[in-house]
Amino acid sequence: MPIYNKLVRDLIPQIIEKDGKTCVTYLLDDSQYITEVNKKMHEELAEYEGAIASDDAVEELADLLELIHAAAKFHGVTVEELEAVRSEKAAKRGGFEERIFLVEVEDD
């Protein structure tokens, strides 16, 4: 039986047990938790980058958003507070909607 070490959603162990299988889990301390959240973000980002169909891309974005919510909570902010920071930065520096690509900055 393969062993997987990864951060899992709350319901996954219940789904595994419902299928008649067993799994081993444990609670992570703060340092382990944020390390695993970061690893999982990289994993989900790679899956998003590899998605061909828009439906698959949206699924991966949803997983990334779930992890962003978890990381925000870990860092002591609500999703609303995080959105306020994002919005303020976009107002000051712009966003990505216009698809402008910065090639370089030249010093005079």
Side-chain angles (χ1 to χ4, degrees):
M1 175 188 294
I3 298 173
Y4 299 102
N5 292 319
K6 66 189 321 184
L7 189 65
V8 296
R9 293 176 185 246
D10 297 347
L11 295 176
I12 289 178
Q14 294 173 23
I15 293 168
I16 291 169
E17 290 173 3
K18 185 177 176 186
D19 286 344
K21 300 175 184 175
T22 59
C23 64
V24 177
T25 63
Y26 66 94
L27 294 179
L28 303 172
D29 66 25
D30 284 351
S31 176
Q32 293 169 318
Y33 177 71
I34 198 61
T35 296
E36 294 303 323
V37 166
N38 289 339
K39 283 182 192 177
K40 190 68 175 168
M41 279 192 201
H42 287 282
E43 177 186 317
E44 296 298 340
L45 179 58
E47 290 176 10
Y48 166 73
E49 291 174 329
I52 296 169
S54 287
D55 288 350
D56 294 334
V58 169
E59 288 288 325
E60 301 309 331
L61 287 171
D63 290 343
L64 277 165
L65 190 55
E66 183 68 28
L67 288 159
I68 290 169
H69 285 208
K73 184 175 181 181
F74 177 83
H75 291 293
V77 297
T78 66
V79 174
E80 294 79 16
E81 290 168 323
L82 181 62
E83 173 58 23
V85 172
R86 185 212 60 81
S87 181
E88 182 179 321
K89 287 183 77 170
K92 287 181 182 175
R93 298 168 45 157
F96 296 96
E97 294 84 20
E98 299 295 325
R99 301 182 183 196
I100 298 169
F101 187 79
L102 179 63
V103 175
E104 68 181 277
V105 176
E106 297 178 7
D107 288 337
D108 292 332

